[in-house]
């Protein structure tokens, strides 16, 4: 279940930091009952960003296969690994 806190709770930075480090999910901050911002730990952010990059690379590999630039997924992934130095 997502954690939702009011913006006034941001005054307690130690508690917010602890909440972020204990959770792999973002913390949603509201202002006047409406979504205002999202907080997360650096670790969670880096993991989400890495997954996003992976999905983009997989999408590019699929496009290469569909366009006939590559005969199979293995070949497309090899080319992407070389391109992104993975």
């Amino acid at each position: 279940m997502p954690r939702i806190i009011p913006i006034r709770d941001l005054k307690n930075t130690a508690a917010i930091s602890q909440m972020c480090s204990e959770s792999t999910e973002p913390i949603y901050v509201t202002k006047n009952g409406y979504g205002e911002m999202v907080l997360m730990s650096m670790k969670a952010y880096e993991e989400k960003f890495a997954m996003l990059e992976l999905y983009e690379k997989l999408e590019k590999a699929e496009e290469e296969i569909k366009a006939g630039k590559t005969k199979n997924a293995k070949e497309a992934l090899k080319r992407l690994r070389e391109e992104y130095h993975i």
Side-chain angles (χ1 to χ4, degrees), residues 50-82:
M51 288 301 294
L52 179 61
E53 286 182 327
L54 176 62
Y55 291 143
E56 289 173 353
K57 290 173 187 172
L58 288 173
E59 181 180 19
K60 187 173 180 181
E62 288 176 350
E63 288 172 2
E64 285 185 9
I65 292 167
K66 287 178 184 175
K69 294 180 181 177
T70 303
K71 293 181 182 179
N72 60 48
K74 188 175 181 179
E75 197 176 301
L77 290 173
K78 180 182 176 188
R79 191 171 25 246
L80 286 171
R81 284 188 188 105
E82 290 169 357

Side-chain angles (χ1 to χ4, degrees), residues 1 8 29 31 35 38 60 62 64 67 82-83 86:
M1 175 175 267
R8 70 175 176 272
V29 182
K31 181 178 179 181
V38 177
K60 187 173 180 181
E62 288 176 350
E64 285 185 9
E82 290 169 357
E83 182 179 333
I86 300 173

Side-chain angles (χ1 to χ4, degrees), residues 1-5 19 23-30 38-39:
M1 175 175 267
R3 287 189 106 156
I4 303 170
I5 61 170
M19 266 194 274
S23 177
T24 59
E25 296 299 317
I27 298 168
Y28 298 92
V29 182
T30 60
V38 177
L39 301 171

Side-chain angles (χ1 to χ4, degrees), residues 11-41:
K11 292 177 184 177
N12 189 348
T13 56
I16 297 296
S17 178
Q18 184 175 355
M19 266 194 274
C20 286
S21 65
E22 291 173 351
S23 177
T24 59
E25 296 299 317
I27 298 168
Y28 298 92
V29 182
T30 60
K31 181 178 179 181
N32 298 323
Y34 295 96
E36 181 70 15
M37 64 183 85
V38 177
L39 301 171
M40 63 176 46
S41 70

